[in-house]
Amino acid sequence: MNCGEARELLSAYLDGELAPDRRQRVHEHLDACDACSRELAALKGLTEDLNMMRFREPEDAELQRYWAGVYNRLERSVGWVLFSAGAILLLCYGAFHLIEAIVEDPAIDLAVKVGACALVFGSIVLLVSILRERLTVRRADRYSKEVQR
Amino acid sequence: MDETEAALIRRCQAGDKEAFEPIVRRYAGAACGAAYVRLGCHDEALDASQEAFVRAWRHIKRFDTHAPFFPWYAAILRNVCIGRLRHRARRRTVSLPDDHRDPSSDGDPVLLAERSERRDRIWRALLRLTPDHREIILMAHFQGMAYREMADALGIPIGTVMSRLHNARQALRERLSEGES
């Protein structure tokens, strides 16, 4: 094993992640090579520092605000689902009755009837298209899925 | 996972929101820190970590109580952060100055426990690494993940984990020596 090969494996050697035979070969190289041993010592110092670093625990008041933020979102997410479902339902109902009233009213010009129908059907096509795009992206994107464990 | 946490998760799975509070409190610090290393903005890290807890709650019924909670949550948080970074990259096309924020520009190590001059310098150097290098150091050192766990989480071969972590540590040493000179 030369120095280049050994240095590539130093991190894994330090972390105890090398297979026994590779570990032995790195070990033998280190016994014979002062430069790589110094490299290992420097890397070990940094690794030990990193291993000692931790994120601090927030204070109680911070945690209280943090939890309140999470809790509010949990409640609001239910509210948004209900609000959206209700709004879609009412809009569909309203659009259906609007079209029905316009189409059946003989006083309204044909052009207005066609325009109103085009507007409503166009909105439906756009909504379906956006939903389909969202679903396609979601299926193809591994980062949009939650982890199942 | 200890018995208390498993019991709390089971209550969460039954719909008890109060049982989620001690879990959120236990991991809030680690969650904010991990999000900060990825996003480089304190407010956004706070927001992303809270959003990840909300997503975890929504999918809590799928969670296997025999497994530890934090690695599962950390994977959700990673996805949230990646989504935000992508959104930020898209918005860059319209040049919003705040979205160009780099972690190194806001690298106050207030999120660290047991600070020292050396650790503060390492933290600032860490935040100047590339996103891939920051992430692998976060996983290996702050989250204590083994190579196999990192490979699974990142969807890369274990040999790539080995070389990426080594390169990240070397890059960190270089950043530190730049700071010293």
Side-chain angles (χ1 to χ4, degrees):
Chain A
M1 181 175 277
N2 62 35
C3 290
E5 289 168 337
R7 287 187 186 197
E8 285 295 313
L9 299 173
L10 286 184
S11 274
Y13 177 81
L14 266 179
D15 296 332
E17 292 270 2
L18 284 182
D21 57 327
R22 276 178 122 184
R23 183 171 180 80
Q24 182 60 32
R25 283 164 60 207
V26 174
H27 189 74
E28 284 166 9
H29 179 83
L30 289 169
D31 276 345
C33 179
D34 286 346
C36 286
S37 294
R38 283 195 299 276
E39 183 71 13
L40 179 73
L43 202 57
K44 191 177 177 194
L46 176 66
T47 304
E48 283 172 355
D49 280 325
L50 283 167
N51 283 338
M52 296 295 287
M53 288 170 73
R54 292 282 175 272
F55 294 118
R56 75 173 175 86
E57 290 301 315
E59 289 168 12
D60 205 51
E62 291 175 279
L63 283 174
Q64 194 57 46
R65 282 197 298 276
Y66 189 87
W67 165 246
V70 174
Y71 189 84
N72 289 338
R73 286 179 195 216
L74 292 178
E75 281 198 329
R76 279 179 208 152
S77 62
V78 175
W80 276 114
V81 169
L82 292 173
F83 178 84
S84 305
I88 289 171
L89 201 68
L90 287 178
L91 282 172
C92 290
Y93 182 83
F96 175 76
H97 282 282
L98 181 70
I99 289 290
E100 193 178 36
I102 289 173
V103 168
E104 286 176 357
D105 189 343
I108 296 176
D109 281 350
L110 182 64
V112 176
K113 290 179 181 177
V114 172
C117 288
L119 191 71
V120 170
F121 285 115
S123 303
I124 292 169
V125 169
L126 285 173
L127 186 69
V128 170
S129 170
I130 290 166
L131 285 175
R132 197 177 53 192
E133 186 188 16
R134 287 282 170 103
L135 284 172
T136 311
V137 169
R138 198 174 165 77
R139 273 198 208 109
D141 184 0
R142 60 191 290 261
Y143 299 116
S144 67
K145 295 181 185 72
E146 302 311 335
V147 181
Q148 203 154 0
R149 192 166 289 170
Chain B
M1 186 191 303
D2 58 64
E3 185 63 35
T4 314
E5 188 164 287
L8 287 169
I9 299 274
R10 278 193 287 274
R11 279 173 57 200
C12 291
Q13 289 175 330
D16 181 357
K17 284 196 188 78
E18 300 299 319
F20 200 43
E21 180 176 358
I23 293 168
V24 170
R25 281 172 166 262
R26 184 174 303 173
Y27 297 117
C32 285
Y36 184 86
V37 169
R38 292 191 174 101
L39 298 169
C41 166
H42 191 268
D43 290 344
E44 202 176 355
L46 198 71
D47 196 59
S49 61
Q50 287 179 321
E51 184 187 334
F53 275 118
V54 172
R55 285 200 198 181
W57 169 263
R58 280 192 204 137
H59 297 89
I60 199 85
K61 284 188 178 161
R62 295 188 202 165
F63 179 71
D64 175 5
T65 50
H66 296 99
F69 176 80
F70 190 74
W72 181 67
Y73 167 80
I76 295 172
L77 177 61
R78 178 170 181 265
N79 290 353
V80 171
C81 291
I82 288 172
R84 285 175 181 240
L85 289 171
R86 282 181 179 174
H87 183 65
R88 195 189 283 182
R90 280 197 296 270
R91 288 178 67 196
R92 272 183 192 177
T93 55
V94 290
S95 238
L96 295 174
D98 271 3
D99 290 336
H100 286 280
R101 194 181 289 117
D102 185 272
S104 57
S105 65
D106 182 22
D108 193 342
V110 290
L111 291 173
L112 288 184
E114 297 173 42
R115 288 172 56 190
S116 68
E117 194 184 328
R118 167 84 175 153
R119 286 179 194 168
D120 285 4
R121 283 203 303 115
I122 293 174
W123 173 254
R124 291 197 181 93
L126 168 65
L127 296 175
R128 283 159 57 211
L129 299 180
T130 62
D132 278 354
H133 286 172
R134 287 201 303 269
E135 171 147 74
I136 202 129
I137 285 185
L138 170 77
M139 288 176 158
H141 295 288
F142 288 83
Q143 297 177 343
M145 293 169 76
Y147 283 23
R148 170 48 55 200
E149 291 170 320
M150 290 190 272
D152 291 344
L154 297 170
I156 56 177
I158 205 159
T160 309
V161 169
M162 197 182 290
S163 56
R164 190 179 292 178
L165 182 57
H166 182 69
N167 292 339
R169 285 171 177 163
Q170 294 294 38
L172 189 55
R173 281 177 63 199
E174 283 167 24
R175 296 285 185 192
L176 281 166
S177 60
E178 282 167 17
E180 281 163 6
S181 58

